[in-house]
Amino acid sequence: MAKTSPAEFINQVRAEGRKVVWPSREETVRTAIFVGIMMLILSLFFLGIDTLFGAVMRWLLSLA
Protein backbone atom coordinates (compact mmCIF):
# COMPACT_ATOMS: atom_id res chain seq x y z
CA MET A 1 0.00 0.00 0.00
CA ALA A 2 1.44 3.34 -1.04
CA LYS A 3 2.10 5.94 1.63
CA THR A 4 0.37 9.29 1.28
CA SER A 5 2.12 12.45 2.44
CA PRO A 6 0.26 14.70 4.88
CA ALA A 7 0.00 17.47 2.25
CA GLU A 8 -1.49 15.06 -0.32
CA PHE A 9 -3.90 13.76 2.32
CA ILE A 10 -5.10 17.31 3.06
CA ASN A 11 -5.55 17.95 -0.66
CA GLN A 12 -7.61 14.77 -1.01
CA VAL A 13 -9.76 15.73 1.99
CA ARG A 14 -10.42 19.17 0.48
CA ALA A 15 -11.30 17.62 -2.89
CA GLU A 16 -13.77 15.24 -1.25
CA GLY A 17 -15.20 18.09 0.84
CA ARG A 18 -15.97 20.05 -2.32
CA LYS A 19 -18.06 17.12 -3.59
CA VAL A 20 -20.43 17.27 -0.59
CA VAL A 21 -23.91 18.56 -1.40
CA TRP A 22 -25.20 20.40 1.65
CA PRO A 23 -28.96 20.61 2.31
CA SER A 24 -30.66 23.97 1.94
CA ARG A 25 -32.06 25.83 4.94
CA GLU A 26 -35.60 24.84 3.87
CA GLU A 27 -34.67 21.13 3.71
CA THR A 28 -32.99 21.33 7.11
CA VAL A 29 -36.02 22.99 8.73
CA ARG A 30 -38.44 20.54 7.08
CA THR A 31 -36.37 17.57 8.28
CA ALA A 32 -36.11 18.99 11.82
CA ILE A 33 -39.89 19.46 11.99
CA PHE A 34 -40.45 15.92 10.70
CA VAL A 35 -38.06 14.50 13.30
CA GLY A 36 -39.82 16.45 16.07
CA ILE A 37 -43.25 15.17 15.00
CA MET A 38 -42.02 11.57 14.74
CA MET A 39 -40.35 11.86 18.15
CA LEU A 40 -43.64 13.04 19.67
CA ILE A 41 -45.66 10.26 18.02
CA LEU A 42 -43.21 7.54 19.05
CA SER A 43 -42.87 8.85 22.60
CA LEU A 44 -46.67 8.76 23.02
CA PHE A 45 -46.78 5.26 21.52
CA PHE A 46 -44.11 3.93 23.88
CA LEU A 47 -45.72 5.71 26.84
CA GLY A 48 -48.96 3.88 26.04
CA ILE A 49 -47.23 0.51 25.66
CA ASP A 50 -45.27 1.03 28.89
CA THR A 51 -48.43 2.03 30.77
CA LEU A 52 -50.29 -0.99 29.43
CA PHE A 53 -47.50 -3.42 30.36
CA GLY A 54 -47.19 -1.79 33.79
CA ALA A 55 -50.90 -2.24 34.42
CA VAL A 56 -50.75 -5.89 33.30
CA MET A 57 -47.76 -6.54 35.57
CA ARG A 58 -49.48 -4.89 38.56
CA TRP A 59 -52.58 -7.02 37.91
CA LEU A 60 -50.50 -10.21 37.65
CA LEU A 61 -48.59 -9.38 40.82
CA SER A 62 -51.84 -8.67 42.68
CA LEU A 63 -52.94 -12.26 41.96
CA ALA A 64 -49.95 -13.69 43.84
Side-chain angles (χ1 to χ4, degrees):
M1 183 170 177
K3 296 248 181 183
T4 303
S5 69
E8 181 62 27
F9 176 75
I10 296 297
N11 288 335
Q12 290 175 358
V13 169
R14 285 184 180 162
E16 290 297 322
R18 284 189 286 270
K19 295 178 186 177
V20 174
V21 178
W22 297 100
S24 67
R25 181 176 180 85
E26 180 184 339
E27 290 172 324
T28 304
V29 170
R30 186 182 308 135
T31 303
I33 291 170
F34 177 75
V35 167
I37 291 169
M38 288 303 298
M39 184 179 64
L40 179 64
I41 291 170
L42 287 172
S43 65
L44 291 173
F45 171 75
F46 286 116
L47 174 65
I49 294 296
D50 185 53
T51 303
L52 178 67
F53 284 163
V56 169
M57 289 303 297
R58 278 190 301 277
W59 178 73
L60 287 172
L61 290 172
S62 71
L63 295 177

